[in-house]
Amino acid sequence: MGWSTKLKLPNPGLDERILSHAQLEKLEVEEAGERPKWDNKAQYMLTCVGFCVGLGNVWRFPYLCQSHGGGAFMIPFLILLVLEGIPLLHLEFAIGQRLRKGSMDVWRTINPYMMGVGLASMCVSLLVSLYYNTIIAWVLWYFFNSFQEPLPWSQCPVNANRSGFEQECERSSPVDYFWYRKTLNITTDIDQTGGLQWWMVLCLISAWAVLYVCCIRGIETTGKAVYVTSTLPYVVLTIFLIRGLTLKGSVSGLVFLFTPDLNELANPATWLDAGAQVFYSFSLAFGGLISFSSYNSIHNNCEQDAVIISIINAFTSVFAATVIYTIIGFRATQRFDDCLGGNILTLLNTFDLPEGNITESNYDLALESLNATNPDIVNRLNLQTCDLNTFLTEGVEGTGLAFIVFTEAITKMPLAPLWSVLFFVMLFCLGLSSMFGNIEGVLTPLQDLKIFPKSWTKEAISGVTCLLCCCIGLIFVQGSGNYWLALFDSFAGSIPLLITGFCEMVGVVYVYGMDRFNEDLVFMIGHKPNIFWQATWRVISPLIMLVIFLFYFVTTISKEFFYIAWDPESAKFPTLEQKPYPTWIYVIIFILAGIPSLAVPGAAIFRALWKRCCKI
Amino acid sequence: MWTVWTVWMVWMVCLVPTTSEALCTEDDGYKVRLSIKTALGGDAYEWNESEMFFFKATLAFAMRTYSGGEQYDVSNILVCDETLRVSFVFVVTKPSNTSELVPRTEVENAIKKSRHRINSAFLLTDQTLDFVGINPTLAAPIQYDTPPWLIAFGVVMGLVCAGIVALLVSTFLNKKRSKKSADEEEAGRGNGILCESIRGKDGLFNQGLVDDDRLTKL
């Protein structure tokens, strides 16, 4: 296409920085070069699937699906998957496989002024690794606590003189109490640190230790670990699906999840959330995927890989949503039954009616007749309104889903410790396999930047990195740790990634050159990418990225900065209270979101200035 | 004489029930609620006169146990306000003087002491055999010598540390082994070309005979 060559930005010296096709062929055939390689294709696929499929598929996608019109959400999700997710994925795989370098070096090779993109990727990977492993530490804590009957979060602890239950637990619920008090020991606001919680420190150390043992020699050890961490979640999800479908009320959960509300498609927030979910779900712009595909053989069919992994990711999201909502339907039905049972008992006791006079089926009729005869007595009883839909919509995303809603549902199942162990093993594997990619996005650029001395072995480098991250991660295991984690999650893992993703596309298409990229793909996989890839890479995907980024930026800037806190003294307890952030938080937010984002233009400006000053 | 005695008997017969009725109030006694169908479902038994007799006997037993042998009898337990809910009010009279009531607090303590026995007699629980106003004492929490989570943590950390040590040791041994074989190869070097590198290759590598199948199989 003539117009594409005109749109290429000048990029002198590119040929000297990259290996030519002939050199690559020679490298492949002679099997020379010190770059590590995958033992087989399965390891590579499982690692990529593990990186993409993470906790977000389990606790973010089902919530989005349910809150944006159920089955109708699939439409924007699938459309944006095809137009945004698959092209970006293919791009990252192809560029990594072609240039055979880690994420930092890839951008330095394409153009030294683009090194900022690599730096941004590394910063984001580092910040995300820090807090992501804390979530894994929480999962481990629940896992360790699952080996007892009854589960510690199934009942409130008794108070000192055995006359009743702990006040805080009595006012909220056993699962809330276990999460906020026994696990996090949370403070009332972000200013109070609350000190280090020793049990969480132990769990954090074990999380980093497990990560270290799996990443100790790079993909040599990671490639073996993914056989378990990437496949076990699917086994557990299937077991839970079968268990869930046999529970009472599971079908109402599924109906609630998938009932389409096509009006939601007119809501721009639906499309925005779908686009953001696709982008974050694929773990794009972290740099990990580029590193992983750089270890492939040169003629690996990256196009096929991208399509397969995207399909697997979408399928996993829907599958996990189904499983989660069978269990949520069960829990909601249990709560509804308890609520109704309580009301029935109150009525029986007040009017001294024989048992069995009022049942679930004739509750409404009975209440009406009693209200007609004795309205004042009935009013004084303050009966609760029991609505199944209210229970189904209760707080079901993020850590709230895993550690509060789901754990409560598990306590109501027979053989609760078994289900608890299985669930948390699944969450652990999902999180750990994503951490492999995050850590890869940190270690490879560190090696490319030659920060560590050459004499240091791979084991030493990964050991030092894990140790440093563990120490910095101690901020998340203090009393106020959860508030810090929410802060990191909102700011470190959002805006910078969108910017980096956009710059990646622009960099490859317009700086590296679409013609050269097409030729590379012909060389690698044997045929030129068809019109779909051309259109999405050049125009459609960057446009979608830009729109999502602008929307995100505008909403983040314009919204009030609140965080939700667990405050037993607040009037609305146990509902979480909204508190404004203190002013010094803005510095932290700038460090989290601003520095990686500004690294992209910053590195270019720095390099331009350095060249100019050296020429003088 | 005989007339006086008859009048006195009639007066006693008429008064005693009213006296006992006057004694049996919720302020002086306790209201009991039984939820038999909730507790036992299909195996629920019918609440009848015999069951009420059994209940009175159980309460008398509780009073005897608490008071340390005082001869409480079924006739000392007075019941009234029976409803279809299966709820009623009971009071306890002293065995020495049937018109005097045992104080409420004593009755409460007696029931608390034998609560488990009373529950088991009727196959019910603290929630389904409800003495209105007497809260059940909560069971003591299970005390572990070592919290179970520490044991699980210890097992996992032990395995992980063993793994780390094993991998580091194997790396160290591999390095030593490769260093040793490098020293041996140094001795066996001819004109600078290692023997191993020539062994595999027979002649020039012909690019034209490269395998057509370039796509890596899954």
Side-chain angles (χ1 to χ4, degrees), chain A residues 186-195 478-481 483-484 563 584:
Chain A
I186 204 163
T187 54
T188 51
D189 40 51
I190 199 169
D191 292 318
Q192 301 172 8
T193 58
Q478 341 172 74
S480 53
Y483 304 133
W484 284 96
Y563 68 102
W584 51 265

Side-chain angles (χ1 to χ4, degrees), chain A residues 296-372:
Chain A
N296 271 331
S297 77
I298 191 67
H299 294 300
N300 177 48
N301 191 348
C302 48
E303 183 182 21
Q304 200 183 58
D305 294 343
V307 174
I308 291 177
I309 289 180
S310 307
I311 293 175
I312 293 178
N313 198 3
F315 163 74
T316 312
S317 293
V318 177
F319 186 44
T322 312
V323 173
I324 295 287
Y325 266 83
T326 52
I327 306 288
I328 286 183
F330 162 69
R331 172 187 172 267
T333 311
Q334 283 283 320
R335 281 210 151 184
F336 177 73
D337 286 346
D338 286 342
C339 175
L340 208 58
N343 283 355
I344 292 176
L345 193 66
T346 317
L347 284 174
L348 287 177
N349 286 351
T350 319
F351 292 100
D352 282 324
L353 303 164
E355 282 181 287
N357 239 19
I358 309 181
T359 59
E360 285 174 27
S361 40
N362 66 0
Y363 172 74
D364 294 313
L365 287 167
L367 184 62
E368 256 186 68
S369 67
L370 284 172
N371 212 5

